[in-house]
């Protein structure tokens, strides 16, 4: 082979090698373009799915909000039992709507979350205003702190004004059972004093309270360092400004505001709601007294349904992350002995 042929073959080799390199570069470029196109496609699909979820949330949220507002509007001029039923239904729907928002924050924008939360707060204000207007709090008179058996020799009751209201010195007052502005005492109410009544405990400090019976509702306000045990509450328990206390009761629903460092031994057939609370802990209801079974029957509560550990925190929107404002009481730390 002469030099000319050798050079020709060498050139042919380099031509083939160059062509192969060019071909490889083209393939890599095409692959990169295809991968980039796929990424754009996936991003567009993800954005589309997010937009669809957001649109679904807005449609559902607005429809549910309108339904709650319709319930509140229907309270105007309605009879008390109808109003009570509508308000309970509206409260339950509010809880569900808050949970729906909590579960949806993962794909909502911060703006959408703020708008929805603002709408919920306005709806809650409307609910409270409707409750105050349609079911105004009854006036009440302070009553003796003794048991009914200890006042059997009292004079006959004042004349009745109808609908569970009595007249006292010409003024109408409710038959609401209450304790108010008391410190360092052991307080009790009997079943006869509580049955189907609204119970208000307010401004109590370092008291032990035992409520034997089935009241209609239970309101606890400004409670400090107290131990309050109550029989089955037919509807709702409302707790506000409670601190360093132990509470125990069965109920249909529980709403707690502005409460700190408080243990709740709970039987609740819907869900417990907390708002502006810190250091609240929960365990299942375990207090017992001789007529508890009868009081459960009178209340209409389902003894087999207890959602004591399902707590909704209206101040906590992080879906999938537990609220730091409440905990479950460890079994070894739960109170089991209540009375000497």
């Amino acid at each position: 082979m002469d030099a000319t042929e050798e050079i020709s073959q060498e050139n042919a080799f380099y031509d083939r090698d160059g062509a192969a390199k060019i071909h490889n570069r083209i393939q890599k470029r095409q692959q990169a373009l295809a991968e980039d196109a796929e990424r754009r496609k996936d991003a567009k699909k993800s954005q589309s799915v997010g937009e669809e979820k957001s649109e679904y949330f807005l449609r559902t949220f607005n429809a549910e909000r309108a339904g709650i507002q319709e319930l509140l509007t229907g309270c105007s001029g309605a009879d008390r039992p109808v109003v009570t039923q509508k308000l309970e239904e509206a409260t339950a729907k509010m809880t569900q709507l808050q949970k729906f928002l909590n579960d949806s924050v993962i794909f909502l924008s911060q703006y959408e979350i703020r708008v929805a939360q603002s709408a919920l707060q306005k709806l809650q204000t409307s609910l409270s205003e409707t409750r105050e207007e349609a079911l105004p709090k009854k006036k009440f008179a302070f009553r003796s702190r003794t048991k009914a058996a200890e006042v059997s020799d009292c004079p006959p009751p004042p004349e009745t004004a109808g609908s569970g209201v009595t007249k006292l010195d010409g003024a109408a007052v409710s038959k609401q059972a209450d304790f108010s502005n008391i410190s360092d005492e052991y307080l009790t109410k009997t079943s006869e004093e509580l049955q189907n009544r609204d119970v208000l405990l307010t401004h109590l400090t370092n008291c032990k309270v035992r409520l034997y019976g089935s009241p209609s509702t239970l309101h606890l306000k400004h409670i400090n360092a107290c131990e309050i045990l109550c029989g089955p509450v037919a509807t709702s328990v409302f707790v506000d400004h409670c601190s360093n206390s132990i509470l125990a009761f069965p109920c249909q629903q529980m709403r707690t505001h502005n409460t700190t460092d408080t243990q709740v031994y709970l039987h609740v057939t819907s869900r417990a709601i907390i708002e502006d609370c810190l250091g609240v802990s929960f365990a299942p209801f375990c207090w017992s007294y001789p007529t508890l079974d009868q009081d459960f029957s009178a209340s209409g509560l389902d003894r087999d349904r207890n959602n004591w550990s399902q707590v909704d925190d209206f101040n906590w929107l992080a879906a999938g992350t537990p609220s730091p404002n409440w905990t479950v009481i460890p079994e070894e730390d739960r109170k089991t002995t209540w009375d000497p």
Side-chain angles (χ1 to χ4, degrees), residues 296-313:
F296 253 109
S297 298
S299 71
L301 297 178
D302 185 351
R303 297 198 72 166
D304 297 325
R305 183 180 181 185
N306 187 6
N307 299 322
W308 66 271
S309 62
Q310 299 181 32
V311 180
D312 291 325
D313 184 355

Side-chain angles (χ1 to χ4, degrees), residues 271-287:
R271 294 176 74 93
I273 297 171
I274 65 172
E275 188 170 11
D276 300 324
C277 295
L278 183 64
V280 181
S281 53
F282 293 86
F285 177 79
C286 58
W287 182 47

Side-chain angles (χ1 to χ4, degrees), residues 84 145 158 218 251 275:
T84 301
R145 297 194 293 272
L218 175 62
C251 59
E275 188 170 11

Side-chain angles (χ1 to χ4, degrees), residues 188-247:
T188 65
K189 289 284 185 182
T190 65
S191 179
E192 291 77 12
E193 292 175 291
L194 297 178
Q195 202 66 28
N196 297 322
R197 295 187 180 183
D198 296 333
V199 178
L200 172 64
L201 309 182
T202 179
H203 292 91
L204 303 184
T205 302
N206 196 34
C207 291
K208 282 195 173 185
V209 184
R210 302 294 185 264
L211 305 175
Y212 303 95
S214 177
S216 175
T217 62
L218 175 62
H219 298 257
L220 308 177
K221 295 186 177 183
H222 300 285
I223 306 296
N224 180 43
C226 292
E227 183 180 271
I228 300 174
L229 313 182
C230 182
V233 181
T235 57
S236 301
V237 174
F238 301 94
V239 182
D240 192 13
H241 286 91
C242 180
S243 61
N244 303 302
S245 295
I246 297 176
L247 314 176

